[in-house]
């Protein structure tokens, strides 16, 4: 049995919205890491607070967060 077109369209739209929200949330975490580092929070504290993040990976995430923040403020183009 095939799925009706309307059902496929509805779910396609819902899943696209969820994927966009997930991307925004991931970017928000990177910006949060950048802001935490700006406030002097040690890399280990950040790593302990976020699952799957190591202290050695915080520096790269900090740079990405800074880039995202600048892009959002319009300082640089995407």
């Amino acid at each position: 049995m095939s799925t009706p077109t309307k059902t496929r369209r509805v779910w396609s739209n819902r899943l696209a919205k969820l994927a966009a929200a997930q991307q925004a949330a991931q970017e928000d975490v990177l910006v949060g890491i950048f802001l935490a580092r700006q406030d002097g929070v040690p890399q280990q504290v950040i790593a302990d607070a976020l699952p799957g993040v190591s202290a050695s990976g915080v520096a790269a995430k900090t740079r990405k967060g800074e880039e995202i923040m600048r892009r959002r403020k319009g300082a640089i183009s995407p």
Side-chain angles (χ1 to χ4, degrees), residues 47-58:
D48 290 345
L50 298 170
V53 176
S54 67
S56 63
V58 170

Side-chain angles (χ1 to χ4, degrees), residues 13-14 17 19 22 33 35 40-41 49 53 56 76:
N13 289 337
R14 285 181 185 172
K17 287 179 184 177
Q22 179 185 28
I33 290 171
L35 294 173
V41 177
V53 176
S56 63
I76 61 173

Side-chain angles (χ1 to χ4, degrees), residues 26-36 61 64-66 68-69 72:
Q26 289 172 338
E27 289 184 357
D28 288 346
V29 169
L30 293 173
V31 170
I33 290 171
F34 167 69
L35 294 173
K61 292 182 185 319
K64 288 179 184 178
E66 182 178 17
I68 292 166
M69 191 165 169
R72 286 180 178 179

